[in-house]
Amino acid sequence: LSKRPCKSKFTRERLNTNDAKRRYRRGSFSAGERIFLMSKIAVVTDTNSGITREEAKKLGVYLLPMPILIDGNAYYEHQSITPKEFYEKMRAKADISTTQPSPADLMDLWEEILKTHDEVVHIPMSSGLSASCATAQMLAEDYEGRVFVVDNHRISISQKSSAWDAVALREAGCGAQEIRRELEASGLDSIVYVGVETLEYLRRGGRVTAGAA
């Protein structure tokens, strides 16, 4: 367990994960509770979660934009390119690929956050889909127990749900280490089904063979 037990500073009873989620979604945490808890633990996720900048602000989380390479130029999701612009370039058959955030970008974000927070809970996309999780775990080793990287095998809406859960647990008084443990324990409790109009980009990314496409 982390140094602080998973128990609200402002309540006497211990709150389990579901209690925390219900309290958060009902909005039953006071403004004082929210400010105190948010000042201690920062929740970070990336734009693979589908969270927009506006939603991130409302959630009280930090959002790491994922880089996209289009015709050799780097763009950052929700920062230098909108979803509408992305799909327009895709329909125009631009050369599109994805890559993980650079270590420098990730560390710069963490270091800026740690100026005002005690701990960081970082929720990247699934380790089974990208090396970005492993990279974050390796980098976190240099932060002396202040950065906790969650590997709970999530992507898209399920990753977004993890961010909601992390916020709820934070506001229930859980420390970063305990939040990571709770999220990883429930990591396989979610299934995502994906439908695509074309297999072309899955082929380019090596997800399916040319014969299958």
Side-chain angles (χ1 to χ4, degrees):
L1 293 176
S2 61
K3 293 181 180 179
R4 290 192 299 115
C6 188
K7 183 176 181 181
S8 173
K9 176 179 183 292
F10 303 92
T11 59
R12 295 180 180 179
E13 74 277 11
R14 181 179 176 83
L15 300 174
N16 63 32
T17 305
N18 289 330
D19 290 335
K21 293 176 187 176
R22 283 193 292 269
R23 280 198 67 194
Y24 178 73
R25 287 170 177 147
R26 287 200 309 265
S28 60
F29 289 100
S30 70
E33 289 177 308
R34 292 170 68 91
I35 292 171
F36 174 80
L37 293 164
M38 287 175 66
S39 70
K40 296 296 181 181
I41 299 170
V43 175
V44 180
T45 191
D46 58 54
T47 51
N48 284 308
S49 65
I51 296 175
T52 65
R53 297 171 75 177
E54 293 75 18
E55 289 173 325
K57 184 176 180 180
K58 182 178 179 181
L59 274 170
V61 305
Y62 291 86
L63 194 61
L64 177 67
M66 295 298 291
I68 305 169
L69 301 178
I70 303 178
D71 292 331
N73 298 311
Y75 296 84
Y76 291 87
E77 193 172 12
H78 296 304
Q79 186 172 328
S80 55
I81 189 169
T82 66
K84 180 181 179 181
E85 292 169 336
F86 172 79
Y87 286 114
E88 287 174 349
K89 290 181 181 294
M90 179 182 287
R91 284 191 289 270
K93 299 188 181 303
D95 182 17
I96 300 175
S97 61
T98 59
T99 184
Q100 62 176 304
S102 72
D105 286 347
L106 183 55
M107 290 188 295
D108 285 347
L109 177 61
W110 286 349
E111 288 170 12
E112 185 64 27
I113 291 171
L114 288 171
K115 291 178 182 178
T116 54
H117 295 74
D118 293 339
E119 298 174 317
V120 170
V121 176
H122 182 77
I123 308 171
M125 67 183 293
S126 171
S127 61
L129 296 173
S130 171
S132 57
C133 182
T135 298
Q137 289 173 324
M138 179 185 67
L139 295 174
E141 294 176 0
D142 294 333
Y143 285 82
E144 301 180 341
R146 298 186 69 193
V147 176
F148 296 83
V149 178
V150 177
D151 183 11
N152 65 337
H153 312 289
R154 299 293 185 93
I155 188 67
S156 189
I157 188 65
S158 63
Q159 186 180 349
K160 181 177 183 177
S161 178
S162 292
W164 273 106
D165 293 346
V167 170
L169 290 166
R170 175 183 68 187
E171 298 197 2
C174 295
Q177 186 174 354
E178 189 162 8
I179 292 172
R180 179 178 65 180
R181 186 174 64 249
E182 292 282 353
L183 294 182
E184 291 184 342
S186 61
L188 300 180
D189 294 345
S190 176
I191 299 175
V192 175
Y193 293 92
V194 179
V196 296
E197 294 182 359
T198 175
L199 296 176
E200 175 62 19
Y201 290 96
L202 293 175
R203 181 192 66 78
R204 289 189 191 181
R207 305 297 182 187
V208 298
T209 64

